[in-house]
């Protein structure tokens, strides 16, 4: 049987009986017909345990909300294929350039990558808990008319939000990859990218390619350039786009490290006239940390900038290395999510890699059987 962790009380935990109570005010205020839990992940290699933890908690929370409120729930996986695939420095300007997964691999290869790395886990969680799910790449999201119209409407008001979205420079990064065949490079920090509206539904963007020099692109609600927005900028546009009232409450499911960044997004959205009730709800999940308290980072460990923390094993950095089947991995994840959701003290906190490893390798004992 899984031994529960010893968790200290906190202000938030003390105000709740159950972890899902944190969403109750929004659910009662909006009376939604359905709830979509949106969880995003950068597609930059095999998932690690922190990614799997947040994804499994999204499904587990969806099941709890469905059972408690009698509302249809669904999980939406946002595959961020605009993550850098390769980086280089322009020897002339000294500017950094990146080529994202979307441009480097192409649509078919990206679909195969997401299917191989994530779909088995999602399918098993969906079947086990009876929660439907769908996958949406950032490429598809940014190409949608809703996203593009939201971005175009935001442009005239961006000056009010720009210091929240880019506190160091005041310039939120917009990358439009070079469209020359086989290229796809874009300035990482968009130093020489300029954008202006030519009319309410058309934006004119100029930039400089690493290989092809200056170029121009047009963005409209239904076509034009690929819009690669910096993280805070992208989240602001996405959350405005998802805030249209249609009987659906969107819940942004994020790791605990997003608590700090979400403050800036909130301020940006309020600066352009959005109110809290117009925005999606958020759920911050437990974060997996090292023995120093830093977020567990497979990138830093693999490049040698950080050691593998005590108690961590290879499967924590690459979940494909789990010593068992996908079904067994799902059972252990669900047993752990039951533990974390059993008390708000266990949910609203961080866990060391060693503690996560202990809970994941303990005999599975789900407190609530799946439908």
């Amino acid at each position: 049987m899984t031994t529960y962790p010893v968790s200290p009380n906190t202000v938030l935990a003390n105000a709740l009986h159950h972890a899902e109570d944190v969403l109750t005010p929004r659910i009662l205020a909006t009376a939604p017909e359905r709830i979509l839990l949106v969880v995003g992940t950068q597609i930059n290699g095999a998932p690690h345990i922190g990614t799997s933890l947040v994804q499994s908690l999204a499904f587990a929370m969806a099941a709890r909300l469905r059972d408690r409120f009698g509302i249809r729930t669904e999980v939406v996986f946002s595959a961020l294929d605009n993550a850098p695939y390769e980086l280089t420095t322009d020897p002339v300007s000294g500017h950094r350039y990146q080529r994202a997964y979307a441009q480097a691999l192409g649509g078919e290869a990206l679909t195969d990558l997401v299917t191989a790395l994530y779909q088995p886990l999602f399918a098993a969680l969906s079947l086990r808990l009876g929660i439907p799910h769908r996958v949406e790449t950032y490429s598809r999201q940014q190409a949608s008319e809703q996203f593009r119209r939201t971005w175009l409407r935001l442009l005239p008001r961006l000056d009010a939000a720009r210091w929240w979205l880019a506190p160091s420079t005041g310039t939120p990064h917009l990358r439009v990859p070079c469209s020359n065949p086989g290229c796809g490079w874009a300035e990482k920090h968009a130093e020489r990218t300029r954008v202006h509206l030519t009319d309410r539904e058309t934006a004119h963007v100029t930039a400089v390619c690493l290989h092809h020099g200056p170029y121009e692109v047009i963005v409209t609600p239904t076509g034009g350039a690929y819009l690669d927005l910096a993280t805070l900028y992208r989240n602001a546009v996405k959350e405005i786009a998802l805030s249209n009232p249609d009987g659906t409450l969107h819940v942004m499911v994020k790791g605990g490290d997003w608590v700090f960044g979400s403050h800036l997004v909130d301020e940006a959205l309020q600066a352009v006239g959005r109110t809290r009730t117009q925005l999606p709800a958020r759920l911050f999940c437990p974060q997996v940390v090292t023995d120093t308290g830093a977020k567990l980072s497979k990138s830093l460990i693999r490049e040698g900038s950080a050691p593998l923390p005590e108690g961590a094993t290879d499967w924590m950095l690459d979940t494909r290395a789990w010593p068992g089947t996908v079904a067994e991995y799902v059972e252990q994840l669900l047993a752990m999510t039951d533990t974390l959701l059993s008390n708000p003290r266990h949910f609203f906190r961080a866990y060391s890699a060693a503690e996560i490893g202990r809970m994941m390798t303990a005999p599975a004992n789900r407190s609530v059987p799946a439908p």
Side-chain angles (χ1 to χ4, degrees):
M1 179 176 293
T2 301
T3 301
Y4 276 23
V6 177
S7 302
N9 200 5
T10 63
V11 172
L12 178 58
N14 196 47
L16 309 175
H17 291 160
H18 308 282
E20 64 269 24
D21 291 345
V22 75
L23 298 173
T24 298
R26 292 298 300 276
I27 294 173
L28 297 180
T30 57
E33 297 175 4
R34 66 171 183 163
I35 300 174
L36 295 186
L37 291 93
V38 183
V39 54
T41 300
Q42 280 199 336
I43 306 303
N44 58 353
H48 73 347
I49 184 59
T51 301
S52 290
L53 176 61
V54 174
Q55 291 167 348
S56 61
L57 282 169
F59 278 91
M61 181 60 76
R64 291 171 76 96
L65 293 175
R66 175 200 59 196
D67 296 343
R68 176 170 173 178
F69 295 99
I71 300 173
R72 291 185 295 118
T73 58
E74 181 180 345
V75 171
V76 179
F77 174 57
S78 183
L80 301 176
D81 54 16
N82 62 331
Y85 181 83
E86 49 188 334
L87 296 165
T88 190
T89 300
D90 179 4
V92 177
S93 67
H95 295 172
R96 294 285 281 168
Y97 274 80
Q98 73 173 47
R99 198 162 176 245
Y101 272 75
Q103 283 71 49
L105 300 185
E108 184 176 348
L110 275 170
T111 298
D112 292 343
L113 181 66
V114 173
T115 299
L117 295 181
Y118 296 95
Q119 193 58 45
L121 176 63
F122 291 157
L125 288 169
S126 183
L127 179 64
R128 194 76 174 83
L129 296 175
I131 298 295
H133 78 283
R134 56 186 170 89
V135 176
E136 180 183 66
T137 63
Y138 176 72
S139 289
R140 188 187 310 162
Q141 183 185 71
Q142 63 83 34
S144 70
E145 184 174 350
Q146 183 184 28
F147 187 93
R148 287 174 174 250
R149 284 193 183 279
T150 301
W151 179 72
L152 288 166
R153 288 198 303 266
L154 180 62
L155 277 181
R157 295 178 286 171
L158 189 60
D159 194 56
R162 64 190 185 95
W163 286 104
W164 292 112
L165 297 177
S168 297
T169 64
T171 304
H173 298 156
L174 161 65
R175 291 179 288 264
V176 285
C178 177
S179 58
N180 276 280
C183 186
W185 286 93
E187 273 188 322
K188 181 171 179 59
H189 301 295
E191 292 94 340
R192 294 176 289 186
T193 300
R194 302 291 182 267
V195 56
H196 71 273
L197 287 170
T198 56
D199 59 55
R200 292 183 60 185
E201 295 196 340
T202 307
H204 179 257
V205 185
T206 60
V208 181
C209 176
L210 173 66
H211 300 297
H212 302 99
Y215 61 99
E216 301 179 358
V217 295
I218 299 297
V219 180
T220 69
T222 56
Y226 185 98
L227 291 175
D228 183 4
L229 307 179
T231 304
L232 297 180
Y233 195 3
R234 180 186 70 240
N235 274 263
V237 174
K238 178 180 71 174
E239 294 193 7
I240 294 175
L242 295 180
S243 65
N244 295 326
D246 61 352
T248 299
L249 174 64
H250 290 85
V251 178
M252 304 292 106
V253 182
K254 298 179 178 293
D257 55 314
W258 255 99
V259 171
F260 310 106
S262 292
H263 166 70
L264 294 173
V265 176
D266 284 344
E267 294 288 353
L269 295 175
Q270 292 180 56
V272 298
R274 311 301 290 185
T275 65
R276 288 294 303 168
T277 56
Q278 292 177 304
L279 304 176
R282 293 203 185 103
L283 179 70
F284 298 106
C285 296
Q287 186 176 0
V288 183
V289 299
T290 68
D291 49 352
T292 69
K295 174 184 174 181
L296 180 67
S297 169
K298 63 182 179 184
S299 300
L300 290 180
I301 293 172
R302 286 172 179 169
E303 69 185 27
S305 300
L308 186 69
E310 183 178 351
T313 55
D314 290 341
W315 67 262
M316 292 185 178
L317 302 182
D318 184 343
T319 57
R320 295 173 299 179
W322 169 262
T325 65
V326 172
E328 292 167 343
Y329 184 58
V330 167
E331 284 304 311
Q332 294 301 129
L333 277 172
L334 291 178
M336 183 167 62
T337 60
D338 277 348
T339 298
L340 303 186
L341 288 167
S342 67
N343 190 310
R345 294 187 183 193
H346 300 331
F347 190 85
F348 297 102
R349 53 161 289 187
Y351 287 86
S352 69
E355 183 71 355
I356 289 292
R358 184 191 67 79
M359 289 191 289
M360 277 292 291
T361 55
N365 181 48
R366 295 210 59 217
S367 61
V368 179

